[in-house]
Each structure stands twice: as C-alpha cells, then as structure tokens.
Amino acid sequence: MTRISTAPPQALTAALERLLDERSRRALAERAARISALYRSGGTTAQAILCEDDALAYALYRLPATYAATVHVLGRLTERAPDFSPRRMLDLGAGLGTASLAARAIWPQIDENALLDRSEPFLALARRLAGPALEKARIIAGDLSAPPALGAPFDLVVASYALTEIAESSLDHAIDAAWANCAGALILVEPGTPRDYARLMRMRARLIASGARVSLPCPHSAPCPLEPPDWCHFSVRLARSRDHKLLKGADAPFEDEKFAYLAATREEAAIAPAPARMLARPEVLKHGLRIKLCTVAGIEEVTVPKRDKQTFAPIKKKDWGDEVVQGETPARE
C-alpha cells in the first residue's frame, strides 16, 4: 500500500490550536477525561457533548485517531481501485467532518460534501473548523437512522465511528438509509472491538442481501469464516502531539488505533476484492515467516521459508491488513 500521511491536515491542526489558545488546557483535559469515562460506560454523544468546549475536548482527544483510521481505510480503497474518482460525498455522523477531510486528502477533486450529524455542538464546531476544504460543505442536522432527504445518491458515503452509537433496534434503518444514499462506494469504519465487529458483520449481511458487493477488506461476499473469540480488525499507528499527550495523560509519542471496516459497492461500480488479505502481523520464525490470510477459500495459515526467495522477498514487506495478490501467495502448510 502506498503510505498516506495519517496526520490531520495542517489547516485543521492550526484551527484547533487557535481555539486551544483561548481556553485552559487543564480544563479541556478534565472534560476529555469525563467524556472518555462516559463513553466507556456506554454513554452517547448526546450525553457526552453538551457544548462547544466538550466538542473541542473530544476533537483533541479522539480526532487524530479517527482521522488516521479513516484515511488509512480510504487509502485501502484507492489501492484496490485507483480509477475510483468520487466527486460527491456524504459524511454520515460527521462530527467535525473528519471523514470528509480524510477523503479530500486522497481525492481533492471532490467538489461536494454533505455532513450529517445530530449533535449541534459538533456541527457548530465543524462550521468553525471548516477551513477552505469544507467552507462550501452542506452541514445538516439529522439522525442516521432517519435522515432527511439529501437529493441524488452520492458517489462516496462514509460513516466513520458513527454507527457504534446507533441502538440495535435502529441499526438496520441506519444501514438501509446509508445504502439508499450511495451510488458508488459505502465505507463503514468502526472501533476494532469484538462487539463492533459483530455489528459490522450484521450490517455486511444486510448490505449483501440488498445487492451490495463487498470489496474490502474481505476477498469475497460469503459469510465471514472467522470464529469467536477471533474477530477481524486492523491497526494504524499515529503520532501524538504535545497537546494530545496532555489530554490523554500519556507519555508515549505515538498510539496504535484498532479499527474494523467494510467497503461495499454498487454492482455498476463494483470494485474487485483482493485475492487474500493479511489478518495479523507476520509471525517471525527462525526459518521464515508465518502469515494468517483471509482468502476466497477461508482462513489459511501459511509458512514462507526464507529459502523460497521469490515468495519470501515480497511477503517480507507485507504488514497487517495488506492485500496479497496472485503470485505472492505461498503454498499452504
């Protein structure tokens, strides 16, 4: 995969720093700690984000990781479909427009963004942070499970860390609405937990029943072959700024964000999936590498010996989440 910067756009970072200068960093850190504790206990955005300062604290605490995961997933899409060139994008559960900014970093030709969220504090801060990239965006108040009429379907629809808060009883309505508004590719990015993976598989099955093609990360549209306690998730590493470390109460200069994702496409815009994908970091053995793959045939664990230089050389460069194409797949164990 061509490596794409996981750092938020400089214009957004500068805008956040200007807002930071107007506020007490200690007070924002306290807000961030309260919000984090509320989310961990099952709270929702409506309970956690009550004003613009709450939205700002959340942005400083979570935006870097959300942006990193989302831009990474969109990079996977362009890796698989280099000719995919969306012009109109719908950002569901947009928050501060993080997914829209990630998409524009990859496809600068996007000339229409619609940002939908039900949180007024988030939308108010999104307007302040919009900058040149999103200054013409449509910012719409609405619920994901019952969105207002949005006009013609969009080339690209993204719901990033948004559906995790939707109640089980409303999840089917939300995914049906997202699919109805999609004319090309629908991207779902969720926290990399067993619970969110299970919900993602529920949405995957519903999309397939509605005629969607699964393009990423799966190599097929058959039921997921993984069995509990295993689950499909990936990881992206991002650098922490000084303020980010302060709000997290952390010393490490980086963090690893775990996420799960899905890309579904319309038949007419179908994107062929990769033949296989790595489901974990390669295990280093004395005589080679052991890799875990999701393939059309199911889950396979294969060993690549160092002596097989033709196969070992390209596999050695692969990492967790990378696709493995024909000619790179080693023999089964």
Side-chain angles (χ1 to χ4, degrees):
M1 176 183 179
T2 300
R3 300 303 171 188
I4 297 169
S5 173
T6 58
Q10 188 174 359
L12 175 62
T13 302
L16 284 170
E17 288 176 352
R18 286 194 295 271
L19 291 176
L20 259 181
D21 290 340
E22 302 170 4
R23 292 163 172 83
S24 162
R25 282 169 166 76
R26 183 178 297 277
L28 286 174
E30 291 171 356
R31 284 181 184 270
R34 175 186 62 79
I35 292 167
S36 178
L38 185 58
Y39 275 122
R40 284 199 302 271
S41 66
T44 64
T45 293
Q47 297 168 318
I49 310 299
L50 304 177
C51 63
E52 187 175 295
D53 278 3
D54 287 340
L56 179 59
Y58 178 89
L60 293 166
Y61 189 86
R62 281 297 304 161
L63 186 148
T66 303
Y67 181 89
T70 306
V71 80
H72 182 89
V73 168
L74 296 180
R76 291 292 185 193
L77 178 62
T78 196
E79 171 188 51
R80 187 95 290 268
D83 294 332
F84 180 63
S85 183
R87 300 298 297 268
R88 301 177 65 248
M89 176 190 174
L90 172 60
D91 189 346
L92 293 171
L96 302 174
T98 309
S100 293
L101 291 168
R104 281 180 171 268
I106 295 175
W107 298 291
Q109 76 276 6
I110 292 176
D111 52 22
E112 181 182 343
N113 286 87
L115 280 60
L116 177 73
D117 203 289
R118 64 182 177 181
S119 169
E120 184 50 43
F122 269 148
L123 293 177
L125 187 56
R127 293 184 184 99
R128 293 190 65 182
L129 296 175
L134 297 179
E135 61 185 359
K136 295 181 181 178
R138 282 194 288 156
I139 297 180
I140 307 159
D143 194 293
L144 270 67
S145 57
L150 298 169
F154 295 79
D155 305 324
L156 175 65
V157 178
V158 181
S160 178
Y161 289 77
L163 294 167
T164 185
E165 288 192 28
I166 299 293
E168 293 290 338
S169 59
S170 300
L171 194 57
D172 288 349
H173 295 296
I175 201 64
D176 288 348
W179 186 238
N181 279 294
C182 176
L186 169 62
I187 311 298
L188 309 177
V189 188
E190 293 287 272
T193 66
R195 177 256 187 191
D196 287 289
Y197 158 74
R199 284 163 58 97
L200 196 60
M201 291 303 97
R202 172 180 161 183
M203 291 183 274
R204 180 183 185 273
R206 191 169 183 87
L207 286 165
I208 291 169
S210 299
R213 294 279 194 93
V214 175
S215 297
L216 292 160
C218 320
H220 55 75
S221 293
C224 178
L226 285 174
E227 296 181 0
D230 203 357
W231 76 101
C232 184
H233 66 291
F234 303 93
S235 179
V236 61
R237 177 162 289 188
L238 60 140
R240 285 174 170 157
S241 68
R242 179 174 57 86
D243 288 319
H244 194 195
K245 289 190 287 184
L246 174 65
L247 261 71
K248 289 227 167 188
D251 295 322
F254 62 86
E255 67 180 74
D256 294 317
E257 174 69 8
K258 305 292 196 301
F259 62 92
Y261 77 100
L262 180 70
T265 52
R266 291 280 179 186
E267 178 71 30
E268 55 273 24
I271 296 168
R277 191 169 298 276
M278 281 195 180
L279 292 186
R281 289 193 174 95
E283 181 184 354
V284 179
L285 306 174
K286 192 172 184 179
H287 60 284
L289 295 171
R290 179 180 291 123
I291 60 174
K292 182 179 181 180
L293 296 172
C294 183
T295 73
V296 175
I299 304 301
E300 298 181 6
E301 286 198 2
V302 295
T303 298
V304 189
K306 290 180 180 178
R307 66 176 181 273
D308 182 0
K309 294 182 179 180
Q310 186 174 355
T311 303
F312 185 80
I315 288 295
K316 185 181 180 182
K317 298 176 183 178
K318 301 285 184 181
D319 201 357
W320 185 4
D322 285 351
E323 62 179 53
V324 179
V325 300
Q326 189 172 7
E328 294 178 332
T329 308
R332 299 182 188 182
E333 287 188 319

